[in-house]
Amino acid sequence: MLHASKKSLLEYLATRTIMYFATIFSGITLTYLLVKAMPVDAVENIIFGLTQTVAGVYDPQSINKLREDLYEIFGLTGKSPLEDYLIFIRRVFTFNFGPSFISFPTPAFELVLRRLPWTIGLLSVSTAITWITGNLLGTIAGYFRTRKFTKVLESIAISLYPVPYYIMALILMLLFAFLIPIFPLGGGISVIPESLNLELILNIIWHSLLPALSLILPGALGWSFLSSRTLTLEVLSEDYTRYAEFRGLPGKHVLRRYVLRNILVPQVTVLALSLGGIFSGALLTEVIFAYPGVGSLAYRAAFAGDINTLMAVLILSMVAVSTAIYLLDLLYPLVDPRIRYR
Amino acid sequence: MPSLSFLKSIGKNFIFLYKSNFKFRLGFTLILILFILGFTVSPFSPTSTRTWYAVPRDRPPSPEYLLGTSSMGRDVFWELCASIGKSLTIALITAMIASHIGLFIGLISGIRGGLLDRFLMFVSDTFIIVPGFLLLIVVISIIKSWITIPLLGAIISIVSWPWPARQVRSMVLSLRERTFVYTAKLSGMRTSKVLLFEIMPYVLGWHLVNFTNTILFSIGTESGLAIFGLSILGDNTLGVMLYWALNYYALFRGIWWWITAPIVTLVLIFISFYLISIGLSEHLHRIIG
């Protein structure tokens, strides 16, 4: 029996791993198809815009090199479509997106890699807080569905849920930075660090508070709260929960062992499906608070028409988000007491 | 006439919904006001909302300039009205395209099943997992100079069809197992007819919910893109208004009326469309189950 379940777990891991790579691969293919569908003179347009804005920075030779790079990325080399596609795939898997335009000789890939820890740090902490508080609040609200505070929480959730993260960021900015000026308005740190010490870490956390709050509020009181409340109501109407109540088990026990335990699994799925949206939202929050993450980089790149850097941001973000979802998938066997993985 | 009775039933449902559901009533009234501001009131603007320095700059709200004027010399109230109209137009275009693609793919996927279903759902999952906003950023930065309002609406639909598709598919899957569909199939009805007369009536209500949600998504995406400077910066949309207000540091220079106007309007739009959407789904849950 033990042996059998071990084997099925391995099978589960194998399918998930295959799915993980398949998703990344199809994401890259999707990007290729979209870029390929762009008008033909797009490349010339980009190069023209570039020579207009920073004239004299590039010598003709590097512009020619750039043109070749872009033609390869856009699949315009004049070879067969399959070859174009293979060239694109090879570039992606060797992380070769060409030089960035915004800080010219530096490869776009390196530029993104430097910013990625900031974004991942902000996102992982705020998403974890969102998920935990949202689930707890939602479960409690579902359990005490007739209380007054539940109604208040529900009205707040309904008005927060549809509001995008960046609008929340702007509202928080209006409130905290302007009317009650206690938080720093932007940036990741206020001093250039010489070495990593406690003061620096506190400084980073202090600067991340407002961006994190603008991600947590609409999440914890929005999607996470609403979906866990709905799930709680469903679990409460199940026979096994009724039975537990009829047996006279204390409410706390029912809540923890019967309700919370059973909503965790679908809530992991909800989280996995929301990650892409959260990531997109975080990009804008970063721009608004001038937080030095991938979003701010994408903003500068979009402003300068730096397509290489944008491509690097897109592909790396895809990899980051699918990796996060993959890791969440691996959590399933830990949180789910019911399913024996086939 | 079947079409007349169809219209009658829509009207009856609407009146019932409007009377019985507070959320729907509130959302619908707010949206109606916004539509009137955006489409009926905005053409009466006394000054151009697109030229620079049409009115004195940086004036606070007053009887003459209801919501003040911006640093670009535009009357904020009239710019806001024009922006509401344009933003809603973009959103409606997206909703028309994306929710119908979603409906079509969801129906095919649900009714056919098998390999086609798996393929379509794999593609839509990819779209859901990939940060769609970044995809749009890449696409729009490439064609920045050609972009128009209908085109922007169409481009946003690239990433907004998967949710409706998944929703419709799961509807079809559950409907497929119901007795009346079995009865229809066993009595020899063709699949296309089963789809049209047995399944569609149930899906249509949810299609409307998806339509509303897509509008929400599109308005949010447009304003987000605009903050990146990737909207039609020469035109008036709510996002473009935000972009210029942020770019001119309206907040730090104390010109709060300029930046508050689009923010409050956007929040109102989001909440009211969301209220309509949940009002509709509550109603559908009650009448269909």
Side-chain angles (χ1 to χ4, degrees), chain A residues 19 22-23 26-27 30-31 34-35 38-39 41-43 45-46 74 157-164 166-167 170-171 173-174 177-178 185 226 272-273 275-277 279-281 283-284 287-288 294-296 298-300 302-305 307 310-311 313-314 317-318 321-322 325, chain B residues 23 122-123 125-146 155 158-159 163 166 216 219-230 242-243 246-247 250-256 259-260 262-263 266-267 270-272 274-275 278 282:
Chain A
M19 278 307 284
T23 317
S26 64
L30 190 78
T31 313
L34 267 180
V35 170
M38 293 295 122
D41 41 348
V43 174
N45 209 42
I46 290 167
F74 279 69
I158 284 176
S159 20
L160 279 185
Y161 173 73
V163 175
Y166 60 92
I167 296 287
L170 287 169
I171 293 171
M173 203 161 175
L174 274 168
F178 193 57
L185 272 182
L226 286 172
L273 285 178
L275 270 184
F279 192 92
S280 303
L283 297 180
L284 279 155
V287 172
I288 286 166
V294 175
S296 301
Y299 176 70
R300 276 181 54 209
F303 187 76
I307 209 72
L310 283 177
M311 279 299 245
V313 169
L314 175 63
S317 306
M318 259 186 221
V321 173
S322 353
I325 292 173
Chain B
K23 285 170 191 159
F122 183 67
V123 174
D125 277 351
T126 308
F127 269 102
I128 286 176
I129 286 168
V130 165
F133 188 70
L134 267 173
L135 211 61
L136 290 181
I137 287 181
V138 169
V139 170
I140 296 181
S141 353
I142 297 172
I143 53 163
K144 217 189 317 194
S145 36
W146 291 292
I155 287 175
I158 295 176
V159 296
W163 285 278
R166 284 214 142 257
L216 253 173
I219 290 186
T221 308
E222 189 275 325
S223 342
L225 286 169
I227 289 178
F228 266 80
L230 293 174
L242 268 181
Y243 173 81
L246 283 171
N247 240 25
L251 197 59
F252 307 115
R253 287 168 52 230
I255 310 168
W256 52 268
I259 187 148
T260 322
I263 292 180
L266 278 170
V267 170
F270 289 127
I271 292 179
S272 34
Y274 182 58
L275 284 173
I278 46 179
E282 276 172 14

Side-chain angles (χ1 to χ4, degrees), chain A residues 266-286:
Chain A
Q267 277 298 85
V268 171
T269 317
V270 171
L271 178 63
L273 285 178
S274 324
L275 270 184
I278 299 174
F279 192 92
S280 303
L283 297 180
L284 279 155
T285 311
E286 282 178 10

